[in-house]
Amino acid sequence: MNKDPQKINLSLVSHTNVGKTTLARTLLGRDIGEVGDRSHVTIEPEDYVLLRAPDDSELILWDTPGFGDSVRLAERLKARSNPIGWFTSEIWDRLTDKSLWLNQQAIKHVRDKSLVILYLVNASESPEAVPYVKAEMDILAWVNKPVIVLLNQMGEARPPEEEKAEVELWGDYLKPYSFVKAVMPMDAFARCWVQEYELWKEIESCLSDADKPTFASLHATWIRQKQALYASSLEAMAAYMVKVANDKEVLASQSLIDRLRSIGRSLGFIKKDLHGAMEDAQVALSTRAADWLCTLTQRLININGLEGSGTKAEILRRMRSDWETQATIDPKAASLLGAVAGGAVSGIAADIATGGATLGLGALGGAIVGALGGAGAAAAYNVQKGHKENIITWSPASMEGFLLDTVLLYLAVAHFGRGRGQWEDSESPAFWKKLAEDIIKAQNIDFKALKEKAADADQLRGEYTKILDKTLREIFKSLYGVTI
Ligand SMILES: Nc1nc2c(ncn2[C@@H]2O[C@H](COP(=O)(O)OP(=O)(O)OP(=O)(O)O)[C@@H](O)[C@H]2O)c(=O)[nH]1
Ligand SMILES: [Mg+2]
């Protein structure tokens, strides 16, 4: 029975060194307790407030000492007609077998305090391979509380079907134990906060009607808090997209000629290598975009309760290589160039060499950039002919790339468990990338029209917020079946 109706107690329980304290850090969003890659790091049950609702009800998460010699403990429990008496009277173990004694204390505590047990397993091992799981199930049977099994240490993120197979493997193994109410992934390093929706649902179904009103108030508070963090993250991402979309460099017309010459050189029309203001402008745009991405990373880290900083060097390195790819002209561009300019490749070549005297600089620039955009390789920039000057901005194809980067960055942050430690940049799993790309492509976003239609930066930010929100919601639905 819950002694205090305002409190709901959950206990994290597992074999030692499986990751309870690490997962507690991830769920709490703060660094509690001690974590170490050895047995019996946590030596007594510790309570932490996971959440406090406006009516002062609390959700308490207990971190407990891990089981050690579970097989022996289970046998001892079975042999006792009065295990509680055994726990309280038998101080012998305290002196002779500290680990066993700690476990006795921990399970007595869990039995007295918890409404629901969160039992962690190391999913990198198969359930049959570790004898302690069965023994610990016997111990939990004695504790007689509803148990939700959480799969920890799941390794690299994998597509939903593969994760599902792993969950089923554990679910099948644990089927004989009726007190096991659910089996779900909850990796201390790589869970996504969205997966916690499912955990709340499972906890609710384990509670008695008497505890449900308290739980409902806590649940509503949790949803509000998470939605607020998500909204702040969206705002930060949309602000970044707007900055990039509105960024520009002004080019003297001479530098456009340089650029056209350098395109000509890449296509083999002009032999001499020329670097001009166009390259400088591209570097300036790329550097600013990298800088903003770094600021965005930091914002997302802070908003989402992580520690550490976005590594500028890493972002710059990536941007730089992007830029190089974008600046390299795809061989396909050569034939497209011909197509766009009505087949007059040689005429265009002549024009590049003379700086666009025949076709007119603007038309020539547009044709070439259009052709390259069609080829999808050097589509990094738009060259617009202004009244007095030429302006270079990011092209629609690049904006799509920035949108993808932003979505992938958010996914990385959303999956980064606080228990894992300081934030680290990492490569996104290929299936995230493919999923995000597909969802973005399916929206057929006209980046140019988006910018032209928006009256000001605020309106454009609103548009980007909607796009990012839609994209992320679809991703979460697809990865976790969760509607946030
Ligand atoms: N790769 C990986 N390592 C993890 C994960 N969770 C925990 N670890 C590591 O596992 C080790 C043990 O983590 P703890 O959180 O101290 O484990 P515990 O269950 O609290 O251990 P005791 O308190 O001794 O019972 C640490 O080195 C963690 O970094 C995870 O999800 N993935
Ligand atoms: Mg611990």
Side-chain angles (χ1 to χ4, degrees):
M1 221 186 71
N2 188 13
K3 290 191 187 109
D4 183 350
Q6 296 288 90
K7 283 190 180 161
I8 293 196
N9 289 284
L10 309 173
S11 291
L12 279 169
V13 169
S14 78
H15 200 71
T16 185
N17 205 32
V18 166
K20 296 173 295 300
T21 309
T22 310
L23 181 63
R25 288 181 175 191
T26 294
L27 295 175
L28 291 159
R30 55 186 196 269
D31 292 346
I32 50 87
E34 194 188 337
V35 165
D37 193 6
R38 58 185 196 280
S39 297
H40 305 302
V41 174
T42 303
I43 52 169
E44 58 186 31
E46 295 275 2
D47 58 331
Y48 303 99
V49 177
L50 183 64
L51 201 68
R52 185 173 290 119
D55 60 6
D56 280 343
S57 52
E58 287 180 340
L59 185 67
I60 308 287
L61 185 66
W62 287 87
D63 184 18
T64 65
F67 294 124
D69 191 348
S70 325
V71 175
R72 191 150 64 102
L73 182 59
E75 274 164 13
R76 286 241 204 151
L77 266 175
K78 263 189 228 155
R80 304 280 154 165
S81 56
N82 176 9
I84 286 279
W86 169 56
F87 284 147
T88 44
S89 66
E90 200 140 332
I91 40 173
W92 178 244
D93 281 336
R94 181 178 194 165
L95 305 170
T96 57
D97 191 336
K98 185 130 187 258
S99 132
L100 199 67
W101 186 79
L102 284 173
N103 288 165
Q104 292 166 21
Q105 298 312 302
I107 55 172
K108 181 173 177 303
H109 173 89
V110 169
R111 184 176 153 129
D112 293 347
K113 270 277 179 201
S114 301
L115 285 182
V116 179
I117 293 173
L118 306 177
Y119 177 69
L120 239 66
V121 295
N122 179 347
S124 68
E125 301 168 327
S126 94
E128 285 94 358
V130 275
Y132 64 74
V133 174
K134 204 174 165 310
E136 284 163 14
M137 282 294 127
D138 290 343
I139 297 168
L140 292 178
W142 176 81
V143 174
N144 196 25
K145 295 282 169 80
V147 171
I148 298 173
V149 175
L150 303 179
L151 307 193
N152 191 34
Q153 310 215 20
M154 297 196 60
E156 295 282 297
R158 278 165 302 161
E161 323 76 74
E162 286 178 36
E163 280 203 355
K164 203 164 149 242
E166 180 137 34
V167 173
E168 275 169 10
L169 178 83
W170 281 89
D172 289 348
Y173 184 78
L174 297 172
K175 213 171 237 142
Y177 306 98
S178 61
F179 53 86
V180 172
K181 303 298 178 195
V183 178
M184 58 183 293
M186 190 56 63
D187 192 280
F189 277 17
R191 70 82 191 90
C192 181
W193 66 268
V194 165
Q195 291 176 281
E196 294 171 29
Y197 272 86
E198 205 56 29
L199 179 59
W200 279 87
K201 215 166 89 192
E202 297 297 352
I203 293 170
E204 183 178 23
S205 65
C206 291
L207 296 177
S208 69
D209 287 347
D211 292 312
K212 283 193 173 154
T214 307
F215 181 84
S217 145
L218 288 161
H219 192 190
T221 308
W222 181 83
I223 290 180
R224 263 201 311 279
Q225 286 182 0
K226 291 292 180 193
Q227 291 285 349
L229 298 180
Y230 176 64
S232 303
S233 303
L234 281 178
E235 207 181 295
M237 289 185 273
Y240 164 73
M241 289 302 296
V242 170
K243 272 185 164 174
V244 175
N246 286 340
D247 199 19
K248 62 181 181 193
E249 277 285 316
V250 176
L251 289 175
S253 47
Q254 184 56 42
S255 60
L256 181 60
I257 295 169
D258 285 348
R259 178 58 180 157
L260 297 178
R261 280 186 179 141
S262 103
I263 290 172
R265 193 196 64 75
S266 310
L267 297 177
F269 302 141
I270 296 173
K271 297 287 173 233
K272 207 167 152 243
D273 196 3
L274 287 170
H275 292 284
M278 186 69 158
E279 277 75 10
D280 293 346
Q282 289 170 339
V283 170
L285 282 173
S286 297
T287 309
R288 278 199 294 277
D291 226 15
W292 293 330
L293 188 61
C294 194
T295 310
L296 174 66
T297 309
Q298 194 62 59
R299 287 273 300 132
L300 292 178
I301 288 171
N302 296 345
I303 292 168
N304 291 282
L306 301 177
E307 292 227 306
S309 53
T311 42
K312 196 166 176 176
E314 172 64 13
I315 288 172
L316 273 169
R317 192 186 61 72
R318 280 199 215 168
M319 294 289 285
R320 184 102 193 120
S321 66
D322 276 353
W323 178 79
E324 276 163 4
T325 327
Q326 287 157 353
T328 308
I329 290 159
D330 192 295
K332 270 190 286 179
S335 57
L336 268 167
L337 184 63
V340 169
V345 177
S346 55
I348 286 206
D351 240 35
I352 290 169
T354 59
T358 335
L359 289 175
L361 204 55
L364 184 58
I368 289 178
V369 172
L372 298 178
Y381 313 100
N382 280 326
V383 180
Q384 301 166 353
K385 192 167 163 25
H387 293 302
K388 296 200 183 97
E389 61 211 354
N390 291 301
I391 290 172
I392 166 170
T393 60
W394 291 104
S395 72
S398 301
M399 289 310 298
E400 190 170 293
F402 283 116
L403 181 64
L404 179 66
D405 289 348
T406 307
V407 165
L408 292 177
L409 171 65
Y410 178 74
L411 285 181
V413 171
H415 284 79
F416 199 94
R418 166 90 186 206
R420 187 170 159 188
Q422 298 272 313
W423 163 261
E424 288 162 32
D425 279 312
S426 58
E427 204 57 50
S428 295
F431 73 97
W432 285 4
K433 209 167 167 184
K434 165 92 177 64
L435 179 64
E437 262 168 3
D438 289 351
I439 291 174
I440 290 172
K441 284 254 181 284
Q443 293 174 65
N444 267 325
I445 306 163
D446 185 341
F447 289 91
K448 206 156 170 268
L450 209 62
K451 190 169 147 186
E452 282 165 5
K453 273 196 238 144
D456 53 23
D458 275 353
Q459 207 174 17
L460 189 57
R461 199 174 60 214
E463 293 302 319
Y464 273 115
T465 305
K466 275 190 246 159
I467 292 171
L468 285 157
D469 185 31
K470 182 176 161 61
T471 307
L472 287 167
R473 279 175 196 270
E474 282 187 33
I475 291 176
F476 289 143
K477 181 98 192 107
S478 167
L479 289 181
Y480 304 114
V482 172
T483 306
I484 57 167

